[in-house]
Amino acid sequence: MIKEIISILIAALLTENFVMVKFYGICPFLGVSKKVETAVGMGMAVTFVMAIASMFTWLVNHFLLERFGLEYLQTIAFILIIAGLVQFVEMFVKKSLPALYNALGIYLPLITTNCAVLGVTLLNVQNGYGFIMSFLYGTFAALGFTLAIVLMAGIREFLDENSVVRSFRGFPIALITAGLMAVAFMGFSGFSI
Amino acid sequence: MKGTEIIKNGLLKENPTFVQLLGMCPTLAVTTSLKNGLGMGLSATAVLIASNVIISLLRKLIPDKIRIAAYIVIIATAVTLIQMALNAYLPDLAESLGIFIPLIVVNCIILARAESFASKNPVGKSALDGLGMGLGFTGALCIISVIREFFGAGTIWGIELYGNVIKPASIVILAPGGFIVLGLIIGAINAIVGKVGEKK
């Protein structure tokens, strides 16, 4: 059990990193990675949503959808759960962390359409994880997302001070930076216990 | 705006991938081969047309406050239908696109068109807008996947081109290649169109 948990942790953080290897959650990864502080805030908000969403969707899937043979409603049911959770997080952040709320801007409600969140809930079902494993996988995958976005923000803060060819400023150079980071993450492939 | 203009708008002027930079996850994840790119593009186009038409029909009935939730339910329904159709008629494609089919729900292009076009325009125009944007997305995916498949696998549409002579650079179809190829294409488009990237 412990060995399995550690190997899932390594996979989610490094060898199968959600952003760098599996391409989930690219929009916030590129959109909110201009400053380290905002990136950390975004990572924490996403981690919270993904951990709770993993548990809620497991419960709904196990006790409602599977019991009544309604598995084909998974996508619709899961996205509604996620949308509800994000609404809740938004209200919480707005009230207790107004600075973070302003920094995240439009990307906070857009966590609903972060494919990492819906992706992890569907992967939990696909991999046949139980309640605890779903929760752990959701949390670990979100930590992998946080790791990638914080590293990216760190690099982009330095990128600001360099002169880049005009047509590559902004988005294109960010993508190429991400590509080079992905090469580094590929270096971990095969690492397991 | 005339019909042809709406389609041209989606294909070129406001191309969802290269100009609006929306829907990056499927753009990067499924463009490892032209078959996958085209399959994803056309599936998303079908969802986009269906959701635009339904939302446009219901635009006067959906209360403003819960419109996003309503849009998401409509989009998710369309995606579920497409997913069932793909599983039934194109099981190979369904398998290789895998989890990225249900993830069409969270493709920002679809929600963006619902919010900015279908909720304000009549049915016919919304359908055309869905078609134009969908084809713009499909075209972008095809361009990226042709480049990645050619350099990364030495094939196009699965047909062997030069693999016997030179070994293809497989990194292009792996994760880093996705980011770098897309970055180079957008940079090149900026250079050609003369649009200067944001000062950063």
Side-chain angles (χ1 to χ4, degrees):
Chain A
M1 181 74 181
I2 301 230
K3 199 180 159 200
E4 199 185 347
I5 291 174
I6 294 175
S7 70
I8 288 187
L9 176 66
I10 291 173
L13 279 182
L14 300 171
T15 53
E16 284 174 27
N17 186 285
F18 249 45
V19 180
M20 307 294 353
V21 182
K22 292 180 134 185
F23 294 127
Y24 300 128
I26 302 289
C27 300
F29 171 71
L30 293 168
V32 203
S33 59
K34 283 176 188 157
K35 272 195 176 157
V36 173
E37 289 144 40
T38 9
V40 173
M42 186 67 181
M44 276 163 27
V46 169
T47 307
F48 179 79
V49 174
M50 275 171 77
I52 309 282
S54 293
M55 293 196 289
F56 269 56
T57 52
W58 187 88
L59 291 172
V60 168
N61 189 45
H62 190 73
F63 289 110
L64 282 173
L65 302 182
E66 280 182 359
R67 179 151 303 176
F68 298 107
L70 296 171
E71 282 97 339
Y72 65 92
L73 286 178
Q74 263 163 9
T75 316
I76 301 177
F78 288 7
I79 194 73
L80 284 176
I81 294 172
I82 294 166
L85 275 172
V86 171
Q87 188 81 54
F88 174 75
V89 170
E90 196 184 345
M91 289 191 301
F92 174 78
V93 173
K94 190 177 182 179
K95 202 150 189 211
S96 49
L97 301 161
L100 183 63
Y101 180 79
N102 290 329
L104 292 177
I106 180 74
Y107 285 97
L108 190 56
L110 281 184
I111 295 178
T112 306
T113 54
N114 179 340
C115 45
V117 185
L118 184 60
V120 83
T121 58
L122 292 169
L123 280 177
N124 281 333
V125 175
Q126 235 173 50
N127 295 344
Y129 288 147
F131 181 71
I132 293 173
M133 279 314 252
S134 294
F135 168 69
L136 288 176
Y137 189 61
T139 315
F140 294 161
L143 291 177
F145 172 83
T146 311
L147 176 71
I149 195 173
V150 172
L151 284 177
M152 180 71 174
I155 298 174
R156 279 181 89 174
E157 281 188 359
F158 284 100
L159 209 58
D160 271 359
E161 287 152 24
N162 293 301
S163 62
V164 178
V165 186
R166 279 177 83 102
S167 46
F168 276 83
R169 272 177 205 159
F171 208 76
I173 194 69
L175 276 171
I176 292 171
T177 311
L180 297 178
M181 273 174 72
V183 176
F185 272 86
M186 263 177 72
F188 291 108
S189 63
F191 174 48
S192 67
I193 54 159
Chain B
M1 220 173 5
K2 281 205 299 270
T4 45
E5 253 176 73
I6 295 178
I7 294 205
K8 216 173 123 190
N9 200 28
L11 270 177
L12 302 168
K13 221 172 110 203
E14 284 182 34
N15 185 289
T17 309
F18 292 145
V19 181
Q20 299 189 63
L21 310 171
L22 292 172
M24 284 297 141
C25 304
T27 307
L28 291 166
V30 303
T31 51
T32 50
S33 74
L34 183 55
K35 267 180 201 168
N36 285 355
L38 188 67
M40 168 53 81
L42 293 180
S43 316
T45 307
V47 173
L48 199 46
I49 296 173
S51 73
N52 262 11
V53 166
I54 299 171
I55 288 166
S56 175
L57 281 173
L58 298 175
R59 70 185 188 281
K60 285 176 186 140
L61 295 175
I62 298 174
D64 203 42
K65 272 191 179 161
I66 56 152
R67 66 182 193 287
I68 300 290
Y71 297 163
I72 287 179
V73 174
I74 292 167
I75 295 168
T77 312
V79 170
T80 307
L81 292 176
I82 298 286
Q83 189 181 3
M84 287 170 164
L86 283 179
N87 279 333
Y89 296 110
L90 296 166
D92 290 345
L93 181 66
E95 184 147 338
S96 62
L97 294 179
I99 194 169
F100 281 94
I101 300 173
L103 287 184
I104 296 176
V105 178
V106 285
N107 186 328
C108 345
I109 298 170
I110 295 164
L111 196 58
R113 292 329 285 173
E115 169 78 3
S116 68
F117 199 95
S119 60
K120 299 184 188 99
N121 286 288
V123 181
K125 278 186 180 175
S126 300
L128 282 178
D129 178 72
L131 182 67
M133 286 289 160
L135 291 181
F137 180 61
T138 311
L141 288 190
C142 288
I143 293 173
I144 301 166
S145 42
V146 163
I147 295 174
R148 287 182 73 188
E149 198 184 342
F150 180 78
F151 288 107
T155 60
I156 285 180
W157 198 260
I159 299 163
E160 188 77 51
L161 290 177
Y162 62 84
N164 313 323
V165 191
I166 314 165
K167 206 161 174 276
S170 57
I171 192 161
V172 182
I173 50 170
L174 293 173
F179 286 112
I180 294 173
V181 168
L182 184 60
L184 291 176
I185 295 177
I186 295 176
I189 290 177
N190 285 351
I192 295 165
V193 182
K195 185 186 137 200
V196 181
E198 52 177 321
K199 173 81 188 77
K200 265 291 144 210

